[in-house]
Amino acid sequence: GLMKDKNDFQLNISWFIHIHEDDIPLCERKTVTDFCYLLDKSKQLFNGLRDLPQYGHKQWQSYFGRTFDVYTKLWKFQQQHRQVLDNRYGLKRWQIGEVASKIGQLYYHYYLRTSETSYLNEAFSFYSAIRQRSYYHQVNKEDRPELVVKKLRYYARFIVVCLLLNKMDLVKVLVKELSEEIEDYTQRFNTEDQLEWNLVLQEVAAFVEADPLMILNDDNAVVVISNRLQEGGVPPLEQGMVVGQLTLADALIVGNCNNQVKFSELTIDMFRMLQALEREPVNLATQSSKPGTLEPNEKPAKRENPHKYLLYKPTFSQLYTFLSASFKELPANSVLLVYLSATGVFPAGRSECEGPYDFGGVLTNTNRDVVNGEMVQKRNQAQKEMHCLHPGDLFPFTRKPLFIIVDSSNSTAYKNFSNLFGQPLVCLLSPTVYPKSMQDQCQRGSLFTLFLYNPLMGFLSVCGLSSMRYGLWEKAQELLRKVFHDISQMITSSRVVDQAYLQFYGDEFLRLLMIRFVFCCTTLRLHKHFREAGSFPESYPPLPKQEMVESSLLQKHVLELAAMLDVQNLFSDGMLDNY
């Protein structure tokens, strides 16, 4: 097929050669032809990426590989022949920027497909080269709004990658630059899309502000803390702990809250959860080539992060399709994690029976029939809520090990689970009500997810602390490590804990989530503002109260932490009964 492509292509390019026939040496003419061919091919392949199925591991890999190869060739080609391409083809700097931007996008999509965080670093190096080398600088001089939009889109994509790499200082600089670019764009071209671009700015500003706490060093500069899994960040398995050998292989991260801060297609809850399921990235560039050279790199070290699907406001059918695909491709001895951060959907009427479709569930998106975020349903005809993921909808998938986290005002619907197939199954469920003082926080992300992502930040957030010295933060983290070690001992030595917890315990990501969950339960049960029945996290199967979530040892630890941070007045001293 390549020859045929090439022949068609020769026709397209002949006009170009024709104009300059006389004065172009043959070898330079060939350079231009080859470049145009590569450019054309790369665009075709890149546009074809859109048509690949979004799920399934196998189909996309060879196509990505081909696309990547062509872009690598194109990138090296324009570096080697820049002079000729400048003189004979009139290669513009923004065109080089476009190629670099596409390579950045390829890396970002590689990251989305594989969950290998090192690809984010590669995307970052291409995006940041575009800015350092001012590839798009001349765009503003051309009278073509569509070129300026390319530049704006590049900024938005660069910002997403910086957010995922926690480069918050740079994000602020980029947002400032983007807002100047948008202003310039809207003044020069009277365009329809001004509101959309301003919304992008508002969204990213809110996203950056979402963390409830600033950690400051001695110079009062903000310290950015990474929340990905670090070496030594998990209490290790010790001699004599008998735990399962299952591995977390796949995760569905679903965000469908009506009014939560979001940017691009990530709500703040999704953004936090995805980091809790990733290891710290390594830098591919430093391993292979000398810094400062942009060399597309395709092969990171062996993949250790579970694969993830990020589903922003999915409909029921989208959610079910991805669930089925994950389920189908789940390797042996592996776990599928389903994380749902979504608005609760409550049953319309009380029904006589108490089955898996009688408690409501969480919202799935509907393409129509949405009025102010409320479901309009033909109540008289419908027996059950249609745009809703019911606990019963997940039953078929419990044929394989399933780990479910539900963060929702109706999370407790999932307490009514039944383990039909005897496979390991755990559901961690958020509180359903929060104290008045914390309700206005929910737009900035849920407290429950915050605890699972960064337990110390969760703790400080329920104590109303909004800034803290780095030294104290480190001291508190040190204490938490001790607490987590004790929780780890409790879970593995308990005689009454459900076996499912132990079966999942061999996996580092799941181990950390279970430990953080227990810490969250103990903290909220001692906190004076958390009083109502729905104020506490729950789980299926339930964890033993006396010897775990309300154990005097853990309560003592929570009070120690509170004393260290000078907030002990917010906690009851544990010996009192909590109910």
Side-chain angles (χ1 to χ4, degrees), residues 535-572:
S535 300
F536 311 118
E538 303 205 45
S539 61
Y540 169 90
L543 283 167
K545 260 197 194 152
Q546 261 359 118
E547 64 163 81
M548 207 166 292
V549 292
E550 290 181 4
S551 82
S552 52
L553 175 65
L554 288 189
Q555 291 185 336
K556 197 173 112 247
H557 280 323
V558 166
L559 297 173
E560 257 176 88
L561 185 58
M564 181 188 281
L565 303 168
D566 208 17
V567 288
Q568 58 274 55
N569 59 326
L570 291 174
F571 294 88
S572 50

Coordinates of all heavy atoms in Angstrom, one line a residue, residues 535-572:
S535 N -22.9 9.7 59.0 CA -21.7 10.5 59.0 C -20.4 9.7 58.9 O -19.3 10.2 58.7 CB -21.5 11.3 60.4 OG -22.6 12.2 60.6
F536 N -20.5 8.3 58.9 CA -19.4 7.5 59.0 C -19.3 6.6 57.7 O -20.3 6.2 57.2 CB -19.3 6.6 60.2 CG -19.6 7.4 61.5 CD1 -20.7 7.1 62.2 CD2 -18.8 8.4 61.8 CE1 -21.0 7.9 63.4 CE2 -19.0 9.2 63.0 CZ -20.2 8.9 63.7
P537 N -18.0 6.4 57.3 CA -17.9 5.4 56.2 C -18.3 4.0 56.6 O -18.3 3.7 57.8 CB -16.3 5.4 55.9 CG -15.8 6.6 56.6 CD -16.7 6.9 57.7
E538 N -18.8 3.2 55.7 CA -19.2 1.9 56.0 C -18.5 0.9 54.9 O -17.9 1.4 54.0 CB -20.7 1.7 55.9 CG -21.4 2.7 56.8 CD -22.8 2.2 57.2 OE1 -22.9 1.0 57.6 OE2 -23.7 3.0 57.2
S539 N -18.6 -0.3 55.2 CA -18.1 -1.2 54.2 C -18.9 -2.5 54.1 O -19.6 -2.9 55.0 CB -16.6 -1.6 54.5 OG -16.6 -2.2 55.8
Y540 N -18.7 -3.2 53.0 CA -19.3 -4.5 52.8 C -18.1 -5.4 52.4 O -17.4 -5.0 51.4 CB -20.4 -4.6 51.7 CG -20.8 -6.0 51.4 CD1 -21.8 -6.6 52.0 CD2 -20.1 -6.7 50.4 CE1 -22.1 -7.9 51.7 CE2 -20.4 -8.0 50.1 CZ -21.4 -8.6 50.8 OH -21.7 -9.9 50.5
P541 N -17.9 -6.5 53.0 CA -18.4 -6.9 54.3 C -18.0 -5.9 55.4 O -16.9 -5.3 55.3 CB -17.7 -8.3 54.6 CG -17.1 -8.7 53.3 CD -16.9 -7.4 52.5
P542 N -18.8 -5.8 56.5 CA -18.4 -4.8 57.5 C -17.1 -5.2 58.2 O -16.7 -6.4 58.3 CB -19.5 -4.9 58.5 CG -20.5 -5.9 58.0 CD -20.0 -6.5 56.8
L543 N -16.3 -4.1 58.6 CA -15.1 -4.4 59.3 C -15.4 -4.5 60.8 O -16.4 -3.8 61.3 CB -14.1 -3.2 59.2 CG -13.3 -3.2 57.8 CD1 -12.7 -1.9 57.6 CD2 -12.3 -4.3 57.8
P544 N -14.7 -5.3 61.6 CA -15.0 -5.4 63.0 C -14.8 -4.1 63.7 O -13.8 -3.4 63.6 CB -14.0 -6.4 63.5 CG -13.0 -6.6 62.4 CD -13.6 -6.2 61.2
K545 N -15.9 -3.6 64.4 CA -15.8 -2.3 65.1 C -14.9 -2.3 66.3 O -13.9 -1.6 66.3 CB -17.2 -2.0 65.6 CG -18.0 -1.0 64.7 CD -19.1 -0.3 65.4 CE -20.0 0.3 64.3 NZ -21.4 0.4 64.7
Q546 N -15.2 -3.1 67.2 CA -14.5 -3.1 68.5 C -12.9 -3.2 68.3 O -12.2 -2.5 68.9 CB -14.9 -4.3 69.4 CG -15.9 -4.0 70.5 CD -16.5 -2.6 70.6 OE1 -17.6 -2.4 70.5 NE2 -15.7 -1.6 71.0
E547 N -12.6 -4.2 67.5 CA -11.1 -4.4 67.4 C -10.4 -3.7 66.3 O -9.3 -3.9 66.0 CB -10.8 -5.9 67.4 CG -11.3 -6.6 66.2 CD -10.6 -8.0 66.0 OE1 -11.0 -8.9 66.7 OE2 -9.7 -8.0 65.2
M548 N -11.2 -2.9 65.5 CA -10.5 -2.2 64.5 C -10.9 -0.7 64.4 O -10.2 0.1 65.0 CB -10.8 -2.9 63.1 CG -9.7 -2.6 62.1 SD -9.8 -3.7 60.7 CE -9.4 -5.3 61.4
V549 N -12.0 -0.4 63.8 CA -12.3 1.1 63.6 C -12.5 1.8 64.9 O -12.4 3.0 65.0 CB -13.5 1.3 62.7 CG1 -13.1 0.9 61.2 CG2 -14.8 0.6 63.1
E550 N -12.9 1.1 66.0 CA -13.1 1.8 67.3 C -12.1 1.2 68.3 O -12.3 1.3 69.5 CB -14.5 1.6 67.8 CG -15.5 2.4 67.0 CD -16.9 2.3 67.5 OE1 -17.1 1.6 68.5 OE2 -17.8 2.8 66.8
S551 N -11.0 0.7 67.8 CA -10.0 0.1 68.8 C -9.4 1.2 69.6 O -9.1 2.3 69.1 CB -9.0 -0.7 68.1 OG -8.0 0.1 67.6
S552 N -9.1 0.9 70.9 CA -8.5 2.0 71.7 C -7.2 2.4 71.2 O -6.8 3.6 71.3 CB -8.5 1.6 73.2 OG -7.8 0.3 73.2
L553 N -6.4 1.5 70.6 CA -5.1 1.8 70.1 C -5.2 2.9 69.0 O -4.5 3.9 69.0 CB -4.4 0.6 69.6 CG -3.0 0.9 68.9 CD1 -2.0 1.4 70.0 CD2 -2.4 -0.4 68.3
L554 N -6.1 2.7 68.1 CA -6.2 3.6 67.0 C -6.8 5.0 67.5 O -6.4 6.0 67.0 CB -7.1 3.1 65.8 CG -6.5 1.9 65.0 CD1 -7.4 1.7 63.8 CD2 -5.1 2.3 64.5
Q555 N -7.7 4.9 68.4 CA -8.2 6.1 68.9 C -7.1 6.9 69.6 O -7.0 8.1 69.5 CB -9.4 5.8 69.9 CG -10.6 5.2 69.2 CD -11.8 5.0 70.1 OE1 -11.6 4.9 71.4 NE2 -13.0 5.0 69.6
K556 N -6.3 6.2 70.3 CA -5.1 6.9 71.0 C -4.3 7.6 69.9 O -3.8 8.7 70.1 CB -4.3 5.9 71.8 CG -3.4 6.5 72.8 CD -2.8 5.4 73.7 CE -1.3 5.3 73.4 NZ -0.6 4.3 72.8
H557 N -4.0 6.9 68.8 CA -3.2 7.5 67.7 C -3.8 8.7 67.2 O -3.2 9.7 66.9 CB -3.0 6.5 66.6 CG -2.0 5.4 66.9 ND1 -0.8 5.7 67.5 CD2 -1.9 4.1 66.5 CE1 0.0 4.6 67.6 NE2 -0.7 3.6 67.0
V558 N -5.1 8.7 66.9 CA -5.8 9.8 66.3 C -5.7 11.0 67.3 O -5.5 12.2 66.9 CB -7.3 9.5 66.0 CG1 -8.1 10.8 65.8 CG2 -7.4 8.6 64.8
L559 N -5.9 10.8 68.6 CA -5.8 11.9 69.6 C -4.3 12.4 69.6 O -4.1 13.6 69.8 CB -6.3 11.4 70.9 CG -7.8 11.0 70.9 CD1 -8.2 10.4 72.3 CD2 -8.7 12.2 70.6
E560 N -3.4 11.5 69.5 CA -2.0 12.0 69.4 C -1.7 12.9 68.3 O -1.1 14.0 68.4 CB -1.1 10.7 69.2 CG -0.3 10.2 70.4 CD 0.5 8.9 69.9 OE1 1.6 9.1 69.4 OE2 -0.1 7.8 70.0
L561 N -2.3 12.5 67.1 CA -2.1 13.4 65.9 C -2.8 14.7 66.1 O -2.3 15.8 65.8 CB -2.7 12.6 64.7 CG -2.5 13.3 63.3 CD1 -1.1 13.6 63.0 CD2 -3.2 12.5 62.2
A562 N -4.0 14.7 66.7 CA -4.8 15.9 67.0 C -4.0 16.8 67.9 O -3.9 18.0 67.8 CB -6.1 15.6 67.6
A563 N -3.3 16.2 68.9 CA -2.6 17.0 69.9 C -1.3 17.6 69.2 O -1.0 18.8 69.5 CB -2.1 16.1 71.1
M564 N -0.7 16.9 68.4 CA 0.5 17.4 67.6 C 0.1 18.6 66.8 O 0.9 19.6 66.7 CB 1.0 16.3 66.7 CG 2.2 16.7 65.9 SD 2.7 15.4 64.7 CE 3.5 14.2 65.7
L565 N -1.2 18.6 66.3 CA -1.6 19.7 65.4 C -2.4 20.7 66.2 O -3.0 21.6 65.6 CB -2.4 19.2 64.3 CG -1.7 18.1 63.4 CD1 -2.7 17.4 62.5 CD2 -0.6 18.8 62.6
D566 N -2.5 20.5 67.5 CA -3.2 21.4 68.4 C -4.7 21.6 68.1 O -5.3 22.7 68.1 CB -2.5 22.8 68.3 CG -2.7 23.6 69.6 OD1 -3.1 22.9 70.6 OD2 -2.6 24.8 69.6
V567 N -5.4 20.5 67.7 CA -6.8 20.5 67.5 C -7.5 19.5 68.3 O -8.6 19.0 67.9 CB -7.1 20.2 66.0 CG1 -6.7 21.4 65.1 CG2 -6.4 19.0 65.5
Q568 N -7.0 19.1 69.5 CA -7.6 18.0 70.2 C -9.0 18.3 70.7 O -9.8 17.4 71.0 CB -6.7 17.5 71.4 CG -6.3 18.5 72.4 CD -5.0 19.3 72.0 OE1 -5.0 19.8 70.9 NE2 -4.0 19.3 72.8
N569 N -9.3 19.6 70.8 CA -10.6 20.0 71.2 C -11.7 19.6 70.3 O -12.9 19.6 70.6 CB -10.7 21.5 71.5 CG -10.4 22.3 70.2 OD1 -9.5 21.8 69.4 ND2 -11.0 23.4 70.0
L570 N -11.4 19.2 69.0 CA -12.4 18.8 68.1 C -12.8 17.3 68.2 O -13.7 16.8 67.5 CB -11.9 19.0 66.6 CG -11.7 20.5 66.2 CD1 -11.1 20.5 64.8 CD2 -13.1 21.1 66.2
F571 N -12.0 16.6 69.1 CA -12.2 15.1 69.2 C -12.7 14.8 70.6 O -12.2 15.3 71.5 CB -10.9 14.4 68.8 CG -10.5 14.6 67.4 CD1 -9.7 15.7 67.0 CD2 -11.0 13.7 66.4 CE1 -9.4 15.8 65.7 CE2 -10.6 13.9 65.1 CZ -9.8 14.9 64.7
S572 N -13.6 13.8 70.6 CA -14.0 13.3 71.9 C -12.9 12.3 72.3 O -12.2 11.7 71.4 CB -15.3 12.6 71.9 OG -15.4 11.7 70.8

